[in-house]
Amino acid sequence: MATRVDRKEYRRVRDESVKDTKPAAAENEIRVVANHGQRHYITYAISLLTGTEEKKKFDTIKISAMGGAIFNAVNIAEIVKRRVEGVHQITDIATEIVSDKYESIESKKPLEVERKVATILVTLSTKALDTKHVGYQAPLPITDVVEQEDRPRPTGSGRGRGGRGRGSGRGGRVSDRAEKAREGRYSAREARGPTRGRGSGRGSARGGRD
């Protein structure tokens, strides 16, 4: 069991030596961190699998993350599979021991605390992978894949306030939020948008008065 550190007596310090000992990521490996948006990772992963003028095309890419960034890594992989056709997936989950260093605020001895952190490694490949692996997932049906250039863009129409067309305008904005949420630009709560309708609520209230 990890030692509990009193934050009133100690503050955590960054260990820069860890970065120096960790090997650099391969060109087809994406290391996801929690405080970066998902959209950049998604675009980069797609460019690796499809190839561009600037980037070499790879049959296989690896997306790794740990701790709070695991959700981002999973979401990125799911979106990439819906943008590139025929992508096989293998997911490996493990734990890693991380050492945190703390310095004393009141001239006490420094502390070093070890803790276990969950890690994930998602392998995406346009070539067949080991179907017997416990974390294997087959490619999605072609009908579920919309390539990047073929994706419909939100039109933004119907936002006018004239007459009774106000409801359709709000619907357009909710669709826009949902589209951005799939790219990691909005949270799920923001994507749902307002849930209280004005027209139906007021109409029923006035009917009751008559």
Side-chain angles (χ1 to χ4, degrees), residues 27 43-45 47-48 50-58:
E27 192 176 351
T43 303
Y44 184 71
S47 68
L48 290 178
T50 58
T52 64
E53 294 181 359
E54 298 81 14
K55 295 188 182 299
K56 175 184 175 182
K57 180 179 178 181
F58 289 88

Side-chain angles (χ1 to χ4, degrees), residues 55-96:
K55 295 188 182 299
K56 175 184 175 182
K57 180 179 178 181
F58 289 88
D59 296 324
T60 303
I61 65 172
K62 295 180 181 293
I63 303 173
S64 62
M66 61 190 306
I70 289 178
F71 171 82
N72 289 352
V74 173
N75 197 40
I76 290 165
E78 289 299 318
I79 293 175
V80 171
K81 290 192 302 180
R82 286 163 173 76
R83 298 289 178 266
V84 182
E85 184 179 333
V87 174
H88 301 257
Q89 175 179 340
I90 284 181
T91 304
D92 291 292
I93 298 174
T95 57
E96 183 176 322

Side-chain angles (χ1 to χ4, degrees), residues 172-188:
R173 281 184 283 178
V174 172
S175 299
D176 191 20
R177 290 191 187 98
E179 183 66 25
K180 291 178 180 179
R182 286 193 290 270
E183 295 182 357
R185 296 167 60 189
Y186 277 119
S187 65

Side-chain angles (χ1 to χ4, degrees), residues 122-134:
V122 181
T123 302
L124 300 179
S125 179
T126 53
K127 289 190 174 182
L129 297 174
D130 182 9
T131 58
K132 295 182 180 180
H133 191 286
V134 67

Side-chain angles (χ1 to χ4, degrees), residues 16-197:
E16 298 295 336
S17 62
V18 176
K19 295 182 180 180
D20 298 334
T21 57
K22 197 170 186 179
E27 192 176 351
N28 65 333
E29 181 183 353
I30 301 172
R31 293 176 179 173
V32 179
V33 295
N35 57 354
H36 284 186
Q38 298 178 21
R39 191 175 187 184
H40 170 74
Y41 292 121
I42 293 167
T43 303
Y44 184 71
I46 292 173
S47 68
L48 290 178
L49 287 173
T50 58
T52 64
E53 294 181 359
E54 298 81 14
K55 295 188 182 299
K56 175 184 175 182
K57 180 179 178 181
F58 289 88
D59 296 324
T60 303
I61 65 172
K62 295 180 181 293
I63 303 173
S64 62
M66 61 190 306
I70 289 178
F71 171 82
N72 289 352
V74 173
N75 197 40
I76 290 165
E78 289 299 318
I79 293 175
V80 171
K81 290 192 302 180
R82 286 163 173 76
R83 298 289 178 266
V84 182
E85 184 179 333
V87 174
H88 301 257
Q89 175 179 340
I90 284 181
T91 304
D92 291 292
I93 298 174
T95 57
E96 183 176 322
I97 296 178
V98 177
S99 180
D100 296 329
K101 292 184 177 181
Y102 296 86
E103 63 181 9
S104 173
I105 299 175
E106 301 178 353
S107 302
K108 294 183 180 180
K109 283 187 177 182
L111 291 178
E112 186 169 346
V113 180
E114 291 186 344
R115 58 188 174 92
K116 288 185 178 181
V117 180
T119 64
I120 192 170
L121 176 63
V122 181
T123 302
L124 300 179
S125 179
T126 53
K127 289 190 174 182
L129 297 174
D130 182 9
T131 58
K132 295 182 180 180
H133 191 286
V134 67
Y136 174 79
Q137 294 182 35
L140 295 173
I142 298 178
T143 53
D144 291 347
V145 179
V146 181
E147 294 186 2
Q148 195 77 2
E149 60 271 17
D150 298 333
R151 291 174 55 210
R153 296 180 177 273
T155 59
S157 59
R159 295 182 64 180
R161 296 193 177 186
R164 297 187 179 181
R166 192 171 180 179
S168 60
R170 291 186 174 183
R173 281 184 283 178
V174 172
S175 299
D176 191 20
R177 290 191 187 98
E179 183 66 25
K180 291 178 180 179
R182 286 193 290 270
E183 295 182 357
R185 296 167 60 189
Y186 277 119
S187 65
R189 180 176 295 179
E190 290 172 318
R192 289 196 293 268
T195 56
R196 294 170 60 187

